[in-house]
Amino acid sequence: MTSSSDRSLAVDVPAPKSYEIRTYGCQMNVHDSERLSGLLEEAGYVRAPEGSDGDADVVVFNTCAVRENADNRLYGNLGRLAPRKASRPGMQIAVGGCLAQKDRDTIVKKAPWVDVVFGTHNIGKLPILLERARVQEEAQVEIAESLEAFPSTLPTRRESAYAAWVSISVGCNNTCTFCIVPALRGKEKDRRTGDILAEIEALVGEGVSEITLLGQNVNAYGSDIGDREAFSKLLRACGQIEGLERVRFTSPHPRDFTDDVIAAMAETPNVMPQLHMPLQSGSDTVLKAMRRSYRQERYLGIIRKVREAIPHAAITTDIIVGFPGETEEDFEQTLHAVREARFSQAFTFQYSKRPGTPAATMENQIPKEVVQARYERLVALQEEISWEENKKQVGRTLELMVAEGEGRKDGATHRLSGRAPDNRLVHFTKPDQEVRPGDVVTVEITYAAPHHLLAEGAVLDVRRTRAGDAWEKRNAEKAAKPAGVMLGLPKIGAPAPLPVATGSGCGCD
């Protein structure tokens, strides 16, 4: 029984504030959002439950600026939150990322209910800016012109227990006429190789078994430190890390894709047989107008070398349709390149003006209906090739890393899903024994669709892994925490391959 004196000592402890982050754009933004989550949780915030849809105490928009309608999308979302914020004293809204770097004071003028605007170079300031906005009761706009601290020095809340992004560089030195990223992310800045490897080793120590090296132009790594072979050396060094089973990277540029990188990929067992190589256009004329530093033959030559060295490599790409001045002959050259390269998947984009880029003011902008018709022809061709390439996988025995939440119909079909070494998505029959995300199963492929494979027979082998242990531990900790303090399930998992005709990436590499 509690005495009156005990009751008099009771103190109401306020519930921790919740946060929600909405991420748009490329893998770099996804990685930045993991850092923002880590910063907020270190500051005492807790993640809002899935589906909270603006009910959190702090809502952060991590924006992208590479699509023409990016600002309309942002202001539409901000407008929907305005009445909710007005009815909830203390709620805060923050806007960061590339669009914030570009628009700066414009955001607060158009949406005066926004509390914080921060840029791509100072994401580490978010908790401080939120507190300053609360105390001063006015919007805080702080945009740094250069990188204050490499993002990987910041705390992080990784979305996956078994797979992780590792940033090796930020910024880009290219001047593609359709891309605004260099203006917003700045010139390329490389991390020290020792710092990268130390982070990877620490991740492996936590149970991560797959990492993806991340950079705006990832294979240009070394230009900032004066070593043209630094990237291939980094890949080989990753091969020496015990416990690291899978290494991927995104996105490289054909200009910097050298023979030593191909050799490192082929000769390092844990570097996966997968390559995402942006094409953008198959026309030399359009590539020149885009200010891309390669031509079709150079590009296809790289593809041939990769296939000779790594016969089972799955190669994916980015393609822009309808760039200003693109003729029917130019477009036919793109179709030719697609037929020759035989991509397993492709990001296909209809060109849209990026305000602030040279291409936005070029003459001979292509009519929407022409772009749409070409886009549909390209998608149809790539769908056909993707299906044909996937059919070649039937009968192969593959090791899959079991994935979290990648099979939307897994519950109904009694299947699980995983990623093959080349990152193809495979749905497989659920075995009798327990299988956890991060574990590895061996299956035989029995059926192919354009965007996935099936293994309908019994699983041939199950290998429990430290990555699966890490996933199990994370979920046990989640279940033990009281409501409102849960860390949540991983939902990104191993970085997925780029699907046809989605438009969720930058297309700026």
Side-chain angles (χ1 to χ4, degrees), residues 116 433 502:
V116 171
Q433 65 193 99
T502 65

Side-chain angles (χ1 to χ4, degrees), residues 377-390:
R377 288 163 60 193
L378 174 60
V379 169
L381 173 62
Q382 182 56 53
E383 287 273 308
E384 178 184 330
I385 292 173
S386 294
W387 199 0
E388 290 173 355
E389 291 301 304
N390 275 0

Side-chain angles (χ1 to χ4, degrees), residues 477-486:
E477 292 172 348
K478 167 188 173 291
K481 289 184 179 292
V485 194
M486 296 181 181

